Amino acid sequence: MLPSVETACLGKGESPGHAPGRSFAFCQETGSIVPFLEKELVDFDTEGGTIRFQSDDVIPDAVVRQIVRLRREQIESKLKR
């Protein structure tokens, strides 16, 4: 059994300034990758480990792959300690 590691979530909800029912957020409990992807996320609302986006302006696939790769690296680094 693997040790407990931080999780990430993808949620749907309403955020101030975003269209109701069409707002989504990718958020992490810890280990934020947002600072590593500043250029790629310049068009998105970010805060801490949260990336907010609309259903008609989603995070590009290439950026999602980078997010997954960075989180895997962070998690694997913690597991090796």
Side-chain angles (χ1 to χ4, degrees):
M1 182 173 188
L2 291 174
S4 176
V5 295
E6 296 83 4
T7 60
C9 66
L10 178 64
K12 179 179 178 182
E14 295 184 22
S15 298
H18 291 98
R22 296 179 49 206
S23 298
F24 298 86
F26 172 83
C27 53
Q28 299 171 236
E29 292 179 14
T30 61
S32 178
I33 46 78
V34 173
F36 298 104
L37 299 170
E38 283 183 15
K39 285 190 263 182
E40 292 85 346
L41 298 172
V42 72
D43 295 328
F44 297 93
D45 180 19
T46 61
E47 181 182 347
T50 301
I51 306 164
R52 293 181 192 86
F53 57 96
Q54 299 290 302
S55 60
D56 59 351
D57 187 23
V58 298
I59 302 170
D61 290 348
V63 177
V64 172
R65 283 191 283 281
Q66 286 181 290
I67 290 169
V68 171
R69 181 183 53 78
L70 288 167
R71 282 301 292 143
R72 282 188 67 171
E73 289 173 5
Q74 289 175 340
I75 292 168
E76 288 171 358
S77 165
K78 285 190 175 231
L79 292 174
K80 289 178 183 177
R81 289 185 202 170

